[in-house]
Amino acid sequence: MLKTQVNSSDLQSVGYDATTCTLEIKFHSGGIYQYFKVTESIYRGLMSASSHGKYFHAYIKDFYLYKRIG
């Protein structure tokens, strides 16, 4: 999974696997989380948002199953 650094005070990098619809986010706090069954449109919205953190909290955080992997 290719990870992209993002300019955010909360998120450090974002990766997406279109085959498994898995979104992976590394936070500046050190945690790495995978979110499951995330559509590509949500991923694109996150990457194009003016605030990655606000988009994450509004459309991803409480909407998808996830697990901490790091």
Side-chain angles (χ1 to χ4, degrees):
M1 178 184 307
L2 178 66
K3 286 130 185 134
T4 303
Q5 300 281 57
V6 292
N7 186 16
S8 170
S9 59
D10 196 15
L11 285 60
Q12 182 175 338
S13 64
V14 176
Y16 185 71
D17 183 335
T19 304
T20 62
C21 297
T22 301
L23 178 72
E24 185 173 301
I25 298 178
K26 181 175 184 181
F27 294 89
H28 285 293
S29 61
I32 303 171
Y33 291 82
Q34 287 186 337
Y35 297 83
F36 305 105
K37 297 184 181 177
V38 177
T39 62
E40 193 166 345
S41 62
I42 291 291
Y43 165 68
R44 285 193 309 257
L46 174 64
M47 296 307 287
S48 65
S50 59
S51 170
H52 302 294
K54 285 181 183 177
Y55 189 95
F56 167 76
H57 287 284
Y59 299 104
I60 298 168
K61 183 179 179 189
D62 295 323
F63 298 92
Y64 295 95
L65 292 175
Y66 66 89
K67 74 173 180 180
R68 183 177 179 147
I69 61 166

